[in-house]
């Protein structure tokens, strides 16, 4: 594709940015255009009702997307951007614009010469000393856009028409007073709670191991649970031989010459002598390894199975005893030195071999859960008697509530932000529909009179603030809410219109062409 310099990227951003549709997504759960049936021209990434979207346009839009992310301080690698589906979003924006341009043509909507001229004259790339300059315009189109004025203006005219089509759709968003009031009723009906979680893990150390008689009884009553646990965790009990390893890598390119390979081997042998002389392997890795993934960790590769390495390296490493270091081994990546920190023999345990172990684990989990519920019930009784959750369970550390759960070892009182009855989630807690329902069933601050199961644990909560909509508040926010409601309806109309265009039309994508720009991930 054409080389993109900063000036061209800025120009592309200006042109592409005129279309509001470029900011639209297809709504929750949409994966964009995924049809791959049919065929497109070799130089196109998609065909929209027979109109090709050129590969160069997609490449330019992709480059603009990456440039924008970098300008926002988010240097996302292109491989990661693809994993996040950004290439689909870029393609969707181009397809959306084409769909809208075609719809505009069918409805007789077009950009005027004055509108086109104004947009071109406003582009600073085409200006000299702050004024539009025709010679510069021709030069920039020739050198940076690689397009004739006729082609550039035709594309720009289509984008303007797409924008005007979008304005027509959005102009149909009318909001009634009843809709504004309904929005206020939802947003003005708010609550804030304080809650504490009681997790089985908090009480696991208080559960003694079962006696032989208790274990036998529990096994007999929970045969199905034990079998299901074994099946769900079979990977723990049936593992191939593994080693926990570290490596020092001297990299080689696939095109390395014999002399380069010899030099790499000699370097690896010299590093091995340092290790034999008493230097810590991890320190040698930090100082000299050329593997960016493990260098900072002292060469630590974690647990490795034989099949994940090339045979020559695997044979050399798996033949070692714990603590030993291989001779230099060459692979396609370079020359390796590997140290074995731990060895784990292959496991193929049957259910009868581990059922006592599983039964003990499940028994203790069950008892810990019973303790957690009992403690939650006890806390609820105290709160109903007039005590405060924050006094009963003060936080150990002053840190954001969302982080507390990662290290929570005992119940801690957490005060939420205000939330509405519209959703089913509680801030800092997550989905809790029954708790939300109970919170909005009361009209003033008070304890909620139930223990709420949440995952494996239990939650006790008290409402500390309760706000209801009133006439004065409605008048103050009426116009603000009308604007918000209109914007929401504009988005809804836009999504519905685009969905209809897709369903009535034909969109075919060229995956190979897209991959040629963004890679295969």
């Amino acid at each position: 594709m054409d080389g993109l310099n900063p000036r061209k990227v800025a120009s592309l951003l200006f042109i592409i940015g005129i279309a509001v549709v470029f900011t639209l997504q297809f709504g929750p759960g949409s994966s964009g255009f995924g049809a791959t049936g049919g065929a497109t021209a070799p130089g196109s990434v998609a065909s929209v009702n027979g109109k090709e979207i050129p590969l160069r346009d997609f490449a330019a839009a992709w480059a603009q997307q990456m440039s924008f992310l970098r300008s926002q301080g988010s240097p996302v690698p292109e491989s990661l951007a693809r994993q996040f589906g950004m290439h689909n979003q870029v393609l969707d924006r181009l397809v959306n614009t084409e769909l809208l341009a075609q719809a505009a043509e069918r409805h007789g909507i077009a950009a005027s010469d004055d509108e086109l001229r104004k947009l071109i004259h406003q582009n600073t790339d085409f200006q000299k000393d702050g004024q539009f300059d025709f010679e510069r315009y021709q030069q920039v189109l020739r050198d940076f856009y690689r397009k004739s004025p006729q082609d550039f203006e035709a594309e720009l005219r289509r984008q303007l028409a797409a924008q005007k089509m979008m304005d027509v759709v959005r102009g149909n968003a009318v909001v009634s007073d009843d809709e504004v009031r309904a929005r206020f009723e939802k947003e003005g009906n708010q609550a804030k709670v304080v809650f504490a979680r009681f997790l089985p893990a908090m009480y696991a150390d208080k559960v003694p191991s079962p006696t032989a008689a208790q274990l036998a009884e529990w096994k007999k009553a929970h045969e199905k649970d034990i079998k299901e646990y074994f099946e769900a965790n079979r990977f723990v009990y049936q593992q191939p031989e593994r080693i926990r390893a570290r490596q020092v890598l001297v990299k080689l390119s696939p095109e390395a010459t014999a002399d380069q390979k010899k030099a790499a081997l000699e370097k690896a042998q010299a590093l091995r002598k340092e290790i034999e002389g008493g230097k810590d392997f991890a320190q040698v890795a930090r100082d000299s390894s050329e593997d960016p993934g493990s260098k900072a960790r002292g060469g630590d590769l974690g647990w490795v199975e034989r099949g994940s390495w090339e045979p020559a390296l695997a044979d050399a490493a798996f033949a070692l005893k714990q603590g030993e270091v291989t001779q230099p081994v060459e692979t396609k990546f370079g020359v390796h030195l590997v140290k074995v920190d731990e060895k784990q023999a292959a496991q193929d345990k049957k259910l009868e071999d581990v059922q006592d172990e599983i039964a003990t684990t499940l028994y203790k989990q069950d008892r810990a859960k019973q303790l957690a519920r009992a403690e939650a019930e006890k806390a609820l009784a105290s709160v109903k008697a007039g005590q405060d959750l924050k006094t009963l369970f003060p936080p150990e550390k002053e840190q954001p509530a969302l982080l507390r759960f990662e290290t929570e070892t005992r119940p801690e009182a957490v005060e939420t932000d205000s939330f509405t009855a519209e959703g089913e989630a509680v801030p800092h807690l997550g989905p809790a529909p029954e708790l939300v329902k109970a919170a909005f069933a009361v009209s003033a601050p008070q304890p909620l009179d139930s223990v709420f199961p949440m995952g494996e644990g239990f939650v006790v909560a008290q409402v500390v603030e309760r706000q209801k909509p009133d006439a004065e508040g409605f008048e103050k926010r009426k116009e603000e809410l009308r604007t918000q409601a209109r914007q929401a309806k504009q988005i809804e109309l836009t999504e519905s219109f685009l969905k209809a265009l897709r369903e009535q039309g034909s969109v075919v994508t060229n995956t190979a062409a897209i991959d040629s720009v963004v890679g295969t991930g």
Side-chain angles (χ1 to χ4, degrees):
M1 71 181 195
D2 299 341
L4 289 172
N5 61 21
R7 174 181 295 279
K8 186 170 183 183
V9 168
S11 300
L12 289 167
L13 178 58
F14 173 80
I15 298 300
I16 293 170
I18 67 166
V20 173
V21 67
F22 269 29
T23 65
L24 295 173
Q25 302 302 319
F26 293 156
S30 171
S31 58
F33 293 101
T36 56
T40 64
S44 303
V45 291
S47 172
V48 182
N49 297 324
K51 176 77 163 57
E52 304 290 338
I53 295 180
L55 177 63
R56 67 175 182 273
D57 288 359
F58 176 80
W62 177 253
Q64 180 266 328
Q65 179 80 39
M66 294 298 98
S67 177
F68 174 76
L69 290 174
R70 287 190 291 271
S71 72
Q72 300 299 305
S74 302
V76 179
E78 291 197 12
S79 59
L80 189 59
R82 180 187 172 90
Q83 290 180 32
F84 287 154
M86 290 185 184
H87 61 299
N88 287 331
Q89 296 175 18
V90 171
L91 180 62
D92 289 349
R93 293 196 292 264
L94 292 171
V95 170
N96 280 351
T97 301
E98 180 56 36
L99 284 168
L100 287 164
Q102 293 179 16
E105 188 174 2
R106 290 194 299 271
H107 287 81
I109 297 173
S112 69
D113 291 343
D114 285 343
E115 289 170 326
L116 183 66
R117 185 181 301 108
K118 180 179 180 182
L119 189 61
I120 292 173
H121 283 215
Q122 286 176 342
N123 189 339
T124 56
D125 278 353
F126 306 145
Q127 295 178 1
K128 185 176 181 180
D129 298 326
Q131 298 293 322
F132 174 76
D133 184 87
F134 185 69
E135 289 185 6
R136 181 171 181 80
Y137 173 60
Q138 292 180 308
Q139 177 191 353
V140 169
L141 291 184
R142 181 183 65 249
D143 295 344
F144 297 113
Y145 287 87
R146 309 292 176 89
K147 293 179 180 179
S148 68
Q150 293 78 14
D151 289 342
F152 174 76
E153 290 168 13
E155 290 180 13
L156 189 54
R157 200 181 286 274
R158 287 182 67 79
Q159 291 180 352
L160 281 168
Q163 174 67 63
K164 289 167 77 74
M165 183 74 250
M166 176 64 64
D167 291 342
V168 170
V169 174
R170 291 163 62 90
N172 289 318
V174 178
V175 179
S176 68
D177 288 344
D178 287 343
E179 288 175 300
V180 176
R181 180 169 288 280
R183 190 178 188 91
F184 177 71
E185 293 290 339
K186 287 182 178 180
E187 292 189 4
N189 191 20
Q190 297 186 354
K192 182 183 289 188
V193 304
V194 171
F195 67 85
R197 300 202 313 172
F198 298 79
L199 306 176
M202 298 173 181
Y203 306 97
D205 59 353
K206 297 180 180 179
V207 179
S209 296
T211 64
Q214 288 173 325
L215 186 61
E217 181 182 355
W218 207 91
K219 283 168 55 180
K220 184 177 180 180
H222 296 84
E223 288 182 4
K224 183 181 177 182
D225 294 332
I226 293 170
K227 184 176 181 180
E228 289 178 350
Y229 183 93
F230 176 77
E231 293 297 334
N233 296 276
R234 186 180 287 272
F235 69 94
V236 174
Y237 305 110
Q238 296 179 340
Q239 292 180 346
E241 180 185 10
R242 302 192 305 170
I243 59 173
R244 187 173 180 87
R246 295 178 182 273
Q247 82 160 345
V248 173
L249 175 66
V250 180
K251 291 181 71 173
L252 279 173
S253 71
E255 300 80 21
T257 64
D259 287 343
Q260 289 171 329
K261 291 182 178 182
K262 181 181 177 182
L265 179 61
E266 290 174 350
K267 180 178 179 180
Q269 289 171 334
L271 293 173
R272 192 175 190 280
K273 285 184 179 180
E274 291 183 20
I275 296 166
E276 287 179 334
K279 191 168 182 179
D280 180 56
F281 188 98
Q283 190 58 51
V284 172
R286 280 189 284 269
D287 292 342
S288 305
S289 180
E290 296 172 2
D291 174 22
S294 65
K295 178 182 177 73
R297 302 193 305 271
D300 187 10
L301 300 173
W303 287 101
V304 179
E305 297 177 5
R306 180 183 288 271
S308 62
W309 279 353
E310 289 189 16
L313 184 61
D315 290 345
F318 278 78
L320 298 179
K321 296 178 182 178
Q322 184 172 315
E324 292 182 338
V325 178
T326 65
Q327 294 293 330
V329 180
E330 183 182 334
T331 72
K332 64 183 179 182
F333 301 106
V335 180
H336 306 252
L337 296 175
V338 174
K339 180 185 178 185
V340 175
D341 285 343
E342 294 181 58
K343 299 194 73 171
Q344 189 176 86
Q347 298 183 56
D348 187 16
K349 296 180 179 179
K350 308 301 181 187
L351 176 59
E352 54 267 25
D353 299 327
V354 295
Q355 61 179 345
D356 282 1
E357 174 188 332
I358 294 174
T360 299
T361 297
L362 295 179
Y363 171 90
K364 296 184 74 171
Q365 287 179 355
D366 184 64
R367 294 297 184 271
K369 190 170 184 177
Q370 291 180 25
L371 277 177
R373 176 153 202 133
E375 289 299 313
E377 296 283 3
K378 181 180 175 182
L380 179 60
S382 297
V383 174
K384 284 183 174 181
Q387 296 193 59
D388 183 82
L389 273 176
K390 287 185 177 181
T391 303
L392 290 169
F393 306 106
E396 286 186 359
K397 301 176 183 178
E398 287 298 326
Q399 56 178 321
L402 283 173
L403 302 178
R404 287 185 183 129
F405 299 153
E406 298 177 4
T407 56
E408 212 172 14
T409 57
R410 66 171 181 81
E412 297 181 35
V414 177
E415 182 171 326
T416 73
D417 303 322
S418 295
F419 58 97
T420 70
E422 192 172 359
E424 294 188 340
V426 175
H428 312 311
L429 181 61
E434 293 304 316
L435 197 157
V436 171
K437 183 178 178 181
F440 285 94
V442 302
S443 57
Q446 65 183 76
L448 299 181
D449 61 2
S450 299
V451 168
F452 299 93
M454 287 283 295
E456 291 298 312
F458 304 91
V459 171
V460 173
Q462 58 187 144
V463 175
V464 291
E465 287 185 21
R466 187 70 176 87
Q467 178 182 323
K468 292 188 175 183
D470 56 60
E472 182 181 353
F474 175 67
E475 289 303 322
K476 287 181 179 179
R477 298 195 58 206
K478 185 175 180 179
E479 292 310 311
E480 174 194 351
L481 291 168
R482 188 183 301 279
T483 299
Q484 292 174 358
R486 184 183 299 111
Q487 290 172 343
K489 184 163 286 190
Q490 287 174 340
I491 292 172
E492 181 182 341
L493 287 172
T494 299
E495 291 179 346
S496 296
F497 186 69
L498 285 169
K499 182 178 179 181
L501 292 179
R502 295 197 306 275
E503 291 175 347
Q504 296 165 9
S506 170
V507 178
V508 181
T509 61
N510 184 346
T511 302
I514 296 169
D515 289 345
S516 72
V517 175
V518 304
T520 57

